[in-house]
Amino acid sequence: MWTVKVVSLGVVGLSLSLELLFWLFSRRRSERVTNKVLFFPSKVACVEHIFSPTLPHSHVCSLPHGVDTSFSRLLRYILSACSSLDLCLFSFSNMDLSRAVLLLHSRGVTIRVLTDKVYSAISGSQIGVLRKAGICVRCDVSAVHMHHKFAVVDGRMLITGSLNWTLTAVQSNMENIIITEEPDLVQPFVKEFCRLWGLNDSAQDLNSVTD
Amino acid sequence: MWTVKVVSLGVVGLSLSLELLFWLFSRRRSERVTNKVLFFPSKVACVEHIFSPTLPHSHVCSLPHGVDTSFSRLLRYILSACSSLDLCLFSFSNMDLSRAVLLLHSRGVTIRVLTDKVYSAISGSQIGVLRKAGICVRCDVSAVHMHHKFAVVDGRMLITGSLNWTLTAVQSNMENIIITEEPDLVQPFVKEFCRLWGLNDSAQDLNSVTD
């Protein structure tokens, strides 16, 4: 009789523990998955402390300091890359975003940039700067526009929306950016980036010769 | 002794049933939430069967029939609206998308369209067509571009991405669209739409007088 009682209570305990563990696991998973939205225009504020965290907030510059803005959050998400950053961008002329990409490159993060051929050549484009720094850049050479504006951080976080990586988009226009780690949303973009990167392989070889 | 055994087994049974129910509920919830991605350019195919489901696939037109494309899926997501459709669009000249919006309007779906003032006046824009049909349209009158390209279906499904609602974007450019029901992603867009809609209230009153 005692054996039956002990076994029964053991099973109750085990079952309840499993239930609790399962609940905690589900809760932690949903807390871990990032799903954020940023809207623009962003307030204009100093972002030096994002690039140099040791820099005191009172360093000399006329912009407001220590302000959390849509743009500072976007920079932080990009700078969170540890191993890889894949960029698929129609237009890239924002110098702070370019600085963030160069900083990641100097940290050894593998960066691939796919961009629109026409817009890569416009005044102020950062594409030439990235290429000169040794970052792997490919231009889409099809007759149509490569109108994407997305980034994939470490193959697990997607940053996408209406925002071109320009100063006007960040500081003036009404724009949106989604930051998500939902695999159902991230993985199709990872796959599409690889497809487009592969498609423009031979074109890139041609660019390397003519540049 | 028998009472203890029966109670213990009852607790085991109850605990296991609760665990099973919790698991089934979590699984069903994650299956229910839509998270889809569409890439463009879309294959060009006939979409008449989407507007008239009773129409045989063999109706007279030179385009391929019965083909499931990114564009036909986008149309289906838009046409799934039962009560409301909020559109926040930089550029809207695609006639099939305009037809879908007009069809929803005729079904009694409440439609609100917020668009960029400059682009609402360009050749081929559908904004005038929607306004003439009695759909509530407001133009953003700020000095900057209202560069969003998103739609909220029934306040629960978000359609957003790089794709402007134009023929070039759908049939030529490389573009993306996300369709999601994740509340963390949808709700900020619902809130932002209401904010922008409210902001352009007085401007709209002015438009009504001058139009």
Side-chain angles (χ1 to χ4, degrees), chain B residues 49-127:
Chain B
H49 60 291
I50 293 170
F51 292 104
S52 316
T54 51
L55 200 77
H57 278 189
S58 57
H59 87 107
V60 184
C61 112
S62 62
L63 297 173
H65 290 77
V67 183
D68 194 24
T69 66
S70 292
F71 187 55
S72 69
R73 278 179 224 163
L74 173 61
L75 281 172
R76 280 203 180 94
Y77 282 117
I78 293 162
L79 287 169
S80 72
C82 293
S83 59
S84 69
L85 179 70
D86 291 332
L87 302 176
C88 198
L89 301 169
F90 175 54
S91 180
F92 189 172
S93 60
N94 186 295
M95 291 180 76
D96 283 322
L97 286 166
S98 171
R99 193 175 162 195
V101 174
L102 291 168
L103 182 59
L104 288 174
H105 178 61
S106 74
R107 285 180 191 165
V109 173
T110 306
I111 293 166
R112 295 185 291 181
V113 182
L114 187 59
T115 190
D116 185 79
K117 187 161 183 70
V118 175
Y119 273 73
S120 71
I122 62 165
S123 166
S125 170
Q126 291 296 301
I127 296 300

Side-chain angles (χ1 to χ4, degrees), chain B residues 29-49:
Chain B
R29 192 192 160 277
S30 67
E31 272 172 8
R32 256 202 338 248
V33 173
T34 297
N35 271 321
K36 299 280 179 198
V37 181
L38 301 175
F39 289 108
F40 294 80
S42 179
K43 281 179 193 159
V44 180
C46 178
V47 289
E48 278 301 318
H49 60 291

Side-chain angles (χ1 to χ4, degrees), chain A residues 29 41 44 50 58 70 86 114 162 166-167 185 196 206 208:
Chain A
R29 192 192 161 277
V44 180
I50 294 169
S58 58
S70 292
D86 290 332
L114 187 60
S162 68
T166 66
L167 192 65
L185 297 176
L196 295 177
L206 193 67
S208 305

